[in-house]
């Protein structure tokens, strides 16, 4: 364990925790979208947009703190990467909801609910892990599980693509639905990037 002789700016930990908790809010809105009728989706999209804006504000605060702090709790490039990746997840979730509304999708294909369930679980794990950055303890199981979830998401995504290209859908509908399931897959990839960044930080700090 390296010994630090200088104080560190600790507000980063609180902001990372707030950003991750906001992802839980986003994942709950995705779950809510699954059970909503077409008329209710616009209101869900509005709430998701508000959550995305809140996430942006947290990310901007992290960057501002990064630029104004002489001492940081860990490497600056890792702080930037972690903040950016958390923000990316929220962007992808908001985009997925927005596309469902804009494309006026009547029914999402079977399998999308599995994608969203994976994202919801990853969001919960990420939110639970962020406070542990203070001590760098109990993080190994987090990044292992998120990587497992991302592998699961890959399998779900491939099955969804096979279903979309099975001939059951009109070509224009395939394009619309594929864009939605691809964005949800990008969100799963971004969760893995967050977990990999946390692993990198933990290894450097050990």
């Amino acid at each position: 364990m390296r010994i630090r002789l200088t104080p560190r700016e600790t507000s980063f930990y609180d902001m990372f925790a707030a950003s991750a908790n906001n992802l839980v809010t986003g994942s709950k809105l995705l779950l809510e979208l699954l059970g909503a009728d077409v008329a209710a989706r616009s209101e869900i999209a509005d709430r998701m947009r508000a959550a995305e804006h809140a996430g942006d504000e947290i990310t901007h605060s992290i960057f501002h703190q990064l630029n104004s702090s002489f001492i940081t709790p860990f490497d600056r490039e890792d702080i930037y990467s972690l903040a950016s990746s958390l923000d990316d997840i929220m962007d992808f979730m908001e985009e997925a909801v927005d596309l469902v509304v804009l494309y006026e999708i009547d029914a999402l294909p079977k399998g999308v609910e599995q994608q969203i369930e994976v994202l919801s679980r990853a969001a919960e794990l990420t939110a639970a892990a962020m406070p542990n950055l203070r001590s760098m303890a109990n993080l190994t199981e987090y990044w292992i599980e998120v990587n497992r979830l991302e592998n699961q998401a890959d399998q779900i995504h491939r099955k969804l693509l096979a279903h979309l290209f099975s001939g059951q859908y009109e070509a224009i509908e395939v394009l619309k639905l594929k864009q939605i399931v691809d964005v949800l897959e990008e969100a799963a990839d971004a969760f893995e990037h967050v977990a990999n960044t946390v692993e990198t930080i933990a290894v450097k700090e050990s």
Side-chain angles (χ1 to χ4, degrees):
M1 180 70 69
R2 289 184 292 175
I3 299 175
R4 296 184 183 273
L5 300 178
T6 53
R8 295 183 293 177
E9 173 56 59
T10 60
S11 62
F12 289 105
Y13 299 121
D14 294 332
M15 290 187 285
F16 283 132
S19 184
N21 285 331
N22 196 46
L23 297 180
V24 175
T25 298
S27 68
K28 288 180 178 178
L29 289 170
L30 281 175
L31 289 168
E32 192 174 336
L33 184 77
L34 287 174
D37 57 31
V38 175
R41 289 175 179 171
S42 291
E43 189 271 337
I44 295 172
D46 288 340
R47 283 188 280 143
M48 180 66 92
R49 199 169 297 113
E52 192 273 333
H53 289 330
D56 283 345
E57 290 180 3
I58 297 168
T59 304
H60 293 154
S61 295
I62 293 172
F63 292 160
H64 175 76
Q65 191 67 46
L66 184 61
N67 291 329
S68 61
S69 296
F70 180 69
I71 301 296
T72 57
F74 38 86
D75 287 349
R76 290 175 180 274
E77 61 267 27
D78 292 329
I79 291 175
Y80 182 87
S81 178
L82 183 54
S84 298
S85 297
L86 289 166
D87 188 64
D88 287 344
I89 297 168
M90 197 70 223
D91 289 344
F92 290 135
M93 291 197 290
E94 189 271 334
E95 182 180 354
V97 173
D98 205 32
L99 288 173
V100 170
V101 174
L102 291 173
Y103 288 160
E104 299 179 337
I105 303 298
D106 289 331
L108 292 166
K110 184 178 180 181
V112 169
E113 74 280 1
Q114 294 176 342
Q115 280 190 301
I116 292 175
E117 286 168 3
V118 167
L119 295 179
S120 179
R121 178 58 180 153
E124 291 171 355
L125 289 168
T126 303
M130 286 303 108
N132 293 337
L133 286 173
R134 290 181 181 271
S135 62
M136 295 295 166
N138 303 316
L139 287 168
T140 304
E141 290 184 5
Y142 153 68
W143 65 65
I144 290 174
E145 180 62 11
V146 170
N147 276 271
R148 187 194 69 79
L149 286 171
E150 197 279 330
N151 290 335
Q152 183 180 342
D154 284 344
Q155 295 175 353
I156 295 168
H157 182 243
R158 287 193 290 268
K159 289 179 181 178
L160 269 166
L161 292 181
H163 176 63
L164 291 178
F165 288 107
S166 66
Q168 298 181 38
Y169 296 90
E170 297 292 332
I172 188 65
E173 195 71 8
V174 170
L175 292 175
K176 292 177 180 179
L177 293 173
K178 181 180 183 300
Q179 190 172 358
I180 293 166
V181 301
D182 284 351
V183 169
L184 292 172
E185 171 64 13
E186 288 183 280
D189 290 341
F191 269 116
E192 184 182 39
H193 192 208
V194 168
N196 290 343
T197 301
V198 169
E199 181 179 9
T200 297
I201 293 168
V203 169
K204 287 181 179 180
E205 295 297 306
S206 63

